[in-house]
């Protein structure tokens, strides 16, 4: 059984690109198709200008087949959905000045400068 639901926004990685779209893999080894018509709200002459193999993209699930294969879309994600997705997935942790440590840089900087001057 597929753990995903239609309408859900997920991240998928492009594993191959064809003239008709891209095959993507998701974190639980599920696969799906991002059809070329679901990439942008414009005519796409060269799909390689929009997608890169190995890169991760946010997509919206628009259909799930009985075997778990998904059809996904980039252009059906609204701005509000994108904002909500980011606010749920990326929690920024504030770093205080006490947590920032430059001691190793301070200790080695003089050595690196001398080595750099030798190579000039």
């Amino acid at each position: 059984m597929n753990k995903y639901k239609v309408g859900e926004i997920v991240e998928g990685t492009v594993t191959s690109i064809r003239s008709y779209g891209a095959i993507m893999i998701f974190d639980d080894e599920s696969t799906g198709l991002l059809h070329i018509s679901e990439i942008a709200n414009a005519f796409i002459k060269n799909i390689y200008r929009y997608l890169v193999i190995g890169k991760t993209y946010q997509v919206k699930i628009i259909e799930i087949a009985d075997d778990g294969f998904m059809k996904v879309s980039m252009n059906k994600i609204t701005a509000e959905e994108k904002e909500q997705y980011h606010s749920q997935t990326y929690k920024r942790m504030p770093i205080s000045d006490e947590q920032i440590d430059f001691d190793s840089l301070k200790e080695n900087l003089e050595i690196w400068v001398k080595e750099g001057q030798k190579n000039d």
Side-chain angles (χ1 to χ4, degrees):
M1 177 155 174
N2 199 324
K3 75 174 191 174
Y4 299 110
K5 297 178 181 93
V6 172
E8 186 176 1
I9 297 173
V10 296
E11 288 188 349
T13 303
V14 174
T15 59
S16 68
I17 298 176
R18 304 284 185 251
S19 59
Y20 55 84
I23 302 298
M24 301 183 82
I25 190 166
F26 303 92
D27 64 356
D28 70 342
E29 303 298 319
S30 294
T31 56
L33 171 66
L34 174 60
H35 191 269
I36 194 167
S37 65
E38 296 294 339
I39 296 171
N41 289 321
F43 176 76
I44 296 175
K45 185 174 182 177
N46 182 358
I47 192 170
Y48 291 96
R49 293 184 71 192
Y50 291 83
L51 301 175
V52 176
I53 293 175
K55 188 170 179 189
T56 300
Y57 298 91
Q58 294 168 2
V59 293
K60 186 174 197 174
I61 300 170
I62 55 176
E63 187 179 318
I64 302 174
D66 291 337
D67 63 358
F69 189 81
M70 299 185 289
K71 291 183 182 176
V72 297
S73 173
M74 289 173 73
N75 66 4
K76 285 190 172 50
I77 301 174
T78 66
E80 294 82 19
E81 288 173 324
K82 258 189 183 179
E83 186 176 320
Q84 182 181 16
Y85 177 83
H86 282 294
S87 68
Q88 291 174 353
T89 56
Y90 297 110
K91 304 288 184 209
R92 295 188 181 185
M93 181 132 180
I95 299 173
S96 67
D97 290 340
E98 294 85 34
Q99 293 173 302
I100 299 173
D101 181 16
F102 290 106
D103 287 341
S104 61
L105 179 62
K106 186 178 176 182
E107 292 168 4
N108 293 300
L109 184 59
E110 204 172 303
I111 297 167
W112 295 333
V113 169
K114 286 179 184 176
E115 287 177 1
Q117 289 172 341
K118 287 180 190 175
N119 294 332
D120 285 342

Short mmCIF file of all heavy atoms in Angstrom, two decimals, residues 2-4 16 30 36 42 45 47 52 67 72 75 79 101 105 108-110 115 118:
data_model
loop_
_atom_site.label_atom_id
_atom_site.label_comp_id
_atom_site.label_asym_id
_atom_site.label_seq_id
_atom_site.Cartn_x
_atom_site.Cartn_y
_atom_site.Cartn_z
N ASN A 2 0.48 2.23 -0.77
CA ASN A 2 1.22 3.47 -0.90
C ASN A 2 0.96 4.37 0.29
O ASN A 2 -0.18 4.54 0.71
CB ASN A 2 0.80 4.16 -2.21
CG ASN A 2 1.81 5.18 -2.67
OD1 ASN A 2 2.42 5.86 -1.86
ND2 ASN A 2 1.97 5.27 -3.96
N LYS A 3 2.00 4.97 0.84
CA LYS A 3 1.84 5.84 1.99
C LYS A 3 1.42 7.25 1.60
O LYS A 3 1.10 8.06 2.45
CB LYS A 3 3.11 5.89 2.83
CG LYS A 3 4.24 6.71 2.23
CD LYS A 3 5.39 6.80 3.20
CE LYS A 3 6.40 7.82 2.73
NZ LYS A 3 7.45 8.03 3.71
N TYR A 4 1.42 7.55 0.31
CA TYR A 4 1.08 8.88 -0.17
C TYR A 4 -0.40 9.01 -0.49
O TYR A 4 -1.09 8.02 -0.69
CB TYR A 4 1.90 9.22 -1.41
CG TYR A 4 3.38 9.23 -1.15
CD1 TYR A 4 4.21 8.24 -1.66
CD2 TYR A 4 3.96 10.23 -0.38
CE1 TYR A 4 5.57 8.25 -1.43
CE2 TYR A 4 5.32 10.24 -0.13
CZ TYR A 4 6.12 9.26 -0.66
OH TYR A 4 7.46 9.28 -0.41
N SER A 16 15.37 9.92 -14.51
CA SER A 16 15.59 9.92 -15.96
C SER A 16 14.65 10.92 -16.61
O SER A 16 13.58 11.23 -16.08
CB SER A 16 15.38 8.52 -16.56
OG SER A 16 14.03 8.14 -16.48
N SER A 30 9.05 4.68 -3.93
CA SER A 30 7.94 4.81 -4.87
C SER A 30 8.43 5.57 -6.09
O SER A 30 9.36 6.36 -6.01
CB SER A 30 6.78 5.57 -4.23
OG SER A 30 6.21 4.85 -3.17
N ILE A 36 5.51 16.17 -19.11
CA ILE A 36 6.01 17.46 -19.57
C ILE A 36 4.95 18.56 -19.45
O ILE A 36 5.26 19.71 -19.17
CB ILE A 36 6.58 17.35 -21.01
CG1 ILE A 36 7.40 18.59 -21.36
CG2 ILE A 36 5.46 17.10 -22.02
CD1 ILE A 36 8.24 18.42 -22.61
N ALA A 42 3.35 26.63 -19.52
CA ALA A 42 3.82 27.18 -20.79
C ALA A 42 4.26 26.02 -21.67
O ALA A 42 4.47 24.90 -21.19
CB ALA A 42 5.00 28.13 -20.55
N LYS A 45 9.66 23.47 -24.95
CA LYS A 45 10.34 22.96 -26.13
C LYS A 45 11.51 22.05 -25.73
O LYS A 45 11.74 21.03 -26.34
CB LYS A 45 10.86 24.13 -26.98
CG LYS A 45 11.46 23.72 -28.28
CD LYS A 45 11.82 24.93 -29.12
CE LYS A 45 12.38 24.49 -30.46
NZ LYS A 45 12.66 25.61 -31.33
N ILE A 47 12.88 20.17 -22.41
CA ILE A 47 12.64 19.77 -21.03
C ILE A 47 13.89 19.92 -20.17
O ILE A 47 13.80 20.15 -18.96
CB ILE A 47 12.09 18.32 -20.98
CG1 ILE A 47 11.55 18.00 -19.58
CG2 ILE A 47 13.13 17.32 -21.42
CD1 ILE A 47 10.78 16.70 -19.51
N VAL A 52 16.74 18.59 -14.09
CA VAL A 52 18.10 18.05 -14.08
C VAL A 52 18.05 16.67 -13.42
O VAL A 52 17.45 16.52 -12.35
CB VAL A 52 19.05 18.98 -13.28
CG1 VAL A 52 20.43 18.39 -13.17
CG2 VAL A 52 19.09 20.37 -13.89
N ASP A 67 -0.88 -0.06 -8.63
CA ASP A 67 0.44 -0.61 -8.32
C ASP A 67 1.33 0.38 -7.57
O ASP A 67 2.48 0.10 -7.27
CB ASP A 67 1.14 -1.09 -9.59
CG ASP A 67 1.42 0.05 -10.58
OD1 ASP A 67 1.04 1.21 -10.32
OD2 ASP A 67 2.02 -0.24 -11.64
N VAL A 72 2.52 12.98 -11.07
CA VAL A 72 2.75 14.16 -10.25
C VAL A 72 2.82 15.41 -11.11
O VAL A 72 2.97 15.34 -12.33
CB VAL A 72 4.04 14.00 -9.41
CG1 VAL A 72 3.92 12.85 -8.43
CG2 VAL A 72 5.27 13.82 -10.30
N ASN A 75 3.20 22.23 -11.77
CA ASN A 75 2.43 23.45 -12.02
C ASN A 75 1.09 23.50 -11.29
O ASN A 75 0.43 24.53 -11.30
CB ASN A 75 2.25 23.70 -13.52
CG ASN A 75 1.39 22.66 -14.20
OD1 ASN A 75 0.86 21.76 -13.57
ND2 ASN A 75 1.29 22.76 -15.51
N ALA A 79 0.96 28.88 -4.73
CA ALA A 79 1.93 29.61 -3.90
C ALA A 79 1.66 29.36 -2.42
O ALA A 79 2.59 29.21 -1.62
CB ALA A 79 1.86 31.10 -4.21
N ASP A 101 32.29 28.76 16.45
CA ASP A 101 33.66 28.54 16.89
C ASP A 101 34.61 28.72 15.72
O ASP A 101 34.57 27.96 14.75
CB ASP A 101 33.76 27.12 17.46
CG ASP A 101 35.16 26.80 17.97
OD1 ASP A 101 35.95 27.73 18.16
OD2 ASP A 101 35.43 25.61 18.18
N LEU A 105 40.15 27.82 12.70
CA LEU A 105 40.55 28.76 11.65
C LEU A 105 41.65 29.68 12.16
O LEU A 105 42.66 29.90 11.48
CB LEU A 105 39.34 29.58 11.18
CG LEU A 105 39.59 30.62 10.11
CD1 LEU A 105 40.08 29.97 8.83
CD2 LEU A 105 38.32 31.41 9.84
N ASN A 108 45.04 27.85 12.41
CA ASN A 108 45.67 27.41 11.16
C ASN A 108 45.87 28.51 10.13
O ASN A 108 46.59 28.29 9.15
CB ASN A 108 44.86 26.28 10.54
CG ASN A 108 44.91 25.03 11.38
OD1 ASN A 108 45.99 24.49 11.60
ND2 ASN A 108 43.77 24.56 11.85
N LEU A 109 45.28 29.65 10.30
CA LEU A 109 45.33 30.70 9.29
C LEU A 109 46.75 31.11 8.96
O LEU A 109 47.12 31.23 7.79
CB LEU A 109 44.51 31.91 9.74
CG LEU A 109 44.39 33.04 8.72
CD1 LEU A 109 43.74 32.53 7.44
CD2 LEU A 109 43.59 34.20 9.29
N GLU A 110 47.58 31.32 9.97
CA GLU A 110 48.95 31.75 9.74
C GLU A 110 49.74 30.70 8.94
O GLU A 110 50.48 31.04 8.03
CB GLU A 110 49.63 32.00 11.10
CG GLU A 110 50.79 32.97 11.01
CD GLU A 110 51.29 33.33 12.39
OE1 GLU A 110 50.49 33.83 13.21
OE2 GLU A 110 52.49 33.10 12.64
N GLU A 115 52.05 28.82 3.69
CA GLU A 115 52.08 27.80 2.64
C GLU A 115 51.68 28.40 1.30
O GLU A 115 52.27 28.08 0.26
CB GLU A 115 51.15 26.64 2.99
CG GLU A 115 51.65 25.74 4.07
CD GLU A 115 50.67 24.65 4.45
OE1 GLU A 115 49.57 24.58 3.86
OE2 GLU A 115 50.99 23.87 5.37
N LYS A 118 54.58 30.36 -0.16
CA LYS A 118 55.63 29.49 -0.70
C LYS A 118 55.30 29.07 -2.12
O LYS A 118 56.18 28.91 -2.97
CB LYS A 118 55.81 28.24 0.16
CG LYS A 118 56.48 28.47 1.47
CD LYS A 118 56.59 27.15 2.21
CE LYS A 118 57.04 27.34 3.64
NZ LYS A 118 57.03 26.07 4.39
#
